């Protein structure tokens, strides 16, 4: 099977869907390919920083976002071994967008999709797993994807890899990968309130 689009975005996570929305708003025919069958996914973080809130304000989307289930966070405290260290005061950090937003990623993605699907030039295809890029004369001109289990060639003027850290687009293109080594690791997890109380 073959398909044509102007811009093909691989990955319907926050980056892919947001870019798709902005391109669609600008009249560009855009197809987002998402390997999962829905927006439900493993925990991927739930806090949008004030700079994201500022972006929402700039795009006049803040009120639309507020219709979806969320919590506003005005500050955050840092504790170590039951000792208070400091607090992050978002109002001081960014007076024009003085809070962060806690929102489930599935809810954020639904919000972005609800906005994007108003544009007839926007298309999101679930269950579309990209397996490789298509090359012609040393250029990437599309991707091969298993769409509902059927191999499909999607031709596009531009392919964007927004398929996360294990990106297939990156792996099957000729990009080199630079890893910046840090001298620390970050462990991120979600603990239920009950469990947290038990361990205090
Ligand atoms: C435990 C954890 C906590 C985090 N907490 C936060 C937080 O609080 N705030 C924050 O801003 N960020 C947080 N992050 C980072 C967060 O994951 C990113 O901000 C966000 O998910 C990145 O979005 P993305 O669209 O770039 O990539 P992803 O969310 O990884 O989306 C990539 C998408 O591509 C799809 N995909 C992958 N391969 C293919 C393929 N071959 N074909 C088609 N589709 C494909 C995936 O299914 C996925 O939907 C956290 C990450 C983790 C792991």
């Amino acid at each position: 099977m073959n398909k044509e689009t102007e811009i093909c975005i691989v990955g319907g996570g926050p980056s892919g869907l947001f870019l798709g929305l902005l391109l669609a708003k600008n009249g560009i025919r855009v197809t987002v390919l998402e390997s999962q069958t829905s927006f439900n996914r493993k925990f991927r973080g739930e806090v949008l920083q004030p700079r994201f809130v500022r972006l929402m304000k700039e795009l006049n989307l803040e009120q639309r976002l507020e219709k979806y289930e969320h919590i506003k966070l005005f500050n955050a405290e840092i504790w170590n071994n039951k000792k208070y260290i400091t607090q992050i005061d978002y109002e001081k950090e960014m007076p024009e967008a003085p809070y962060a937003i806690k929102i489930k990623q599935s809810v954020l993605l639904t919000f972005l999709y609800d906005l994007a699907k108003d544009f007839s030039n926007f298309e999101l295809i679930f269950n579309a797993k990209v397996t490789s890029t298509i090359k012609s004369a040393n250029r990437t001109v599309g991707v091969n994807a298993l769409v509902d289990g059927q191999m499909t060639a999607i031709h596009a003027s531009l392919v964007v890899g927004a398929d996360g850290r294990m990106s297939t687009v990156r792996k099957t293109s000729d990009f080199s990968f630079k890893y910046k080594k840090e001298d620390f690791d970050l462990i991120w997890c979600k603990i239920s309130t009950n469990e947290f109380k038990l361990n205090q």
Side-chain angles (χ1 to χ4, degrees):
M1 218 169 82
N2 279 304
K3 218 177 139 45
E4 288 264 350
T5 187
E6 245 178 300
I7 298 192
C8 174
I9 300 175
V10 183
S15 315
L17 274 186
F18 210 151
L19 178 63
L21 167 66
L22 296 179
L23 292 171
K25 257 181 125 172
N26 281 284
I28 293 164
R29 198 151 55 91
V30 55
T31 301
V32 179
L33 303 172
E34 170 53 49
S35 59
Q36 303 295 313
T37 51
S38 76
F39 291 136
N40 291 329
R41 52 201 65 210
K42 280 192 207 150
F43 174 60
R44 304 284 287 137
E46 301 186 337
V47 181
L48 304 173
Q49 298 301 321
R51 60 182 180 273
F52 181 89
V53 177
R54 185 178 61 190
L55 180 64
M56 288 294 102
K57 286 177 189 271
E58 283 168 6
L59 293 171
N60 240 346
L61 293 176
E62 194 195 5
Q63 283 178 358
R64 291 279 299 266
L65 177 61
E66 288 192 352
K67 291 189 178 138
Y68 294 74
E69 193 184 341
H70 71 286
I71 300 173
K72 285 182 184 166
L73 307 172
F74 291 92
N75 56 41
E77 293 183 346
I78 299 174
W79 291 70
N80 185 19
N81 276 340
K82 299 186 180 170
K83 194 172 159 241
Y84 172 80
I85 308 289
T86 188
Q87 76 159 349
I88 302 165
D89 182 343
Y90 291 127
E91 176 134 38
K92 256 196 217 154
E93 301 281 321
M94 196 171 284
E96 70 277 23
Y99 56 90
I101 291 179
K102 184 183 174 306
I103 187 167
K104 276 191 182 163
Q105 195 174 91
S106 55
V107 178
L108 173 70
L109 295 176
T110 303
F111 158 70
L112 293 172
Y113 183 45
D114 284 350
L115 293 169
K117 68 187 180 194
D118 280 347
F119 298 93
S120 57
N121 48 325
F122 175 91
E123 179 184 29
L124 166 67
I125 308 179
F126 281 116
N127 203 10
K129 187 173 173 49
V130 169
T131 53
S132 62
T133 48
I134 303 170
K135 299 271 184 351
S136 172
N138 240 357
R139 281 194 59 229
T140 298
V141 293
V143 294
N144 291 309
L146 271 174
V147 181
D148 293 328
Q150 192 179 355
M151 194 46 87
T152 306
I154 295 136
H155 295 273
S157 308
L158 184 75
V159 172
V160 178
D163 48 343
R165 278 171 290 178
M166 304 300 163
S167 172
T168 301
V169 172
R170 189 186 67 229
K171 279 187 210 152
T172 62
S173 302
D174 299 324
F175 299 120
S176 58
F177 179 50
K178 272 193 193 161
Y179 181 74
K180 187 170 174 285
K181 203 165 169 20
E182 299 289 353
D183 59 0
F184 64 90
D185 272 330
L186 180 67
I187 298 174
W188 205 299
C189 59
K190 196 172 179 180
I191 302 172
S192 82
T193 323
N194 287 342
E195 207 175 322
F196 183 66
K197 275 183 193 145
L198 280 177
N199 291 330
Q200 264 188 332

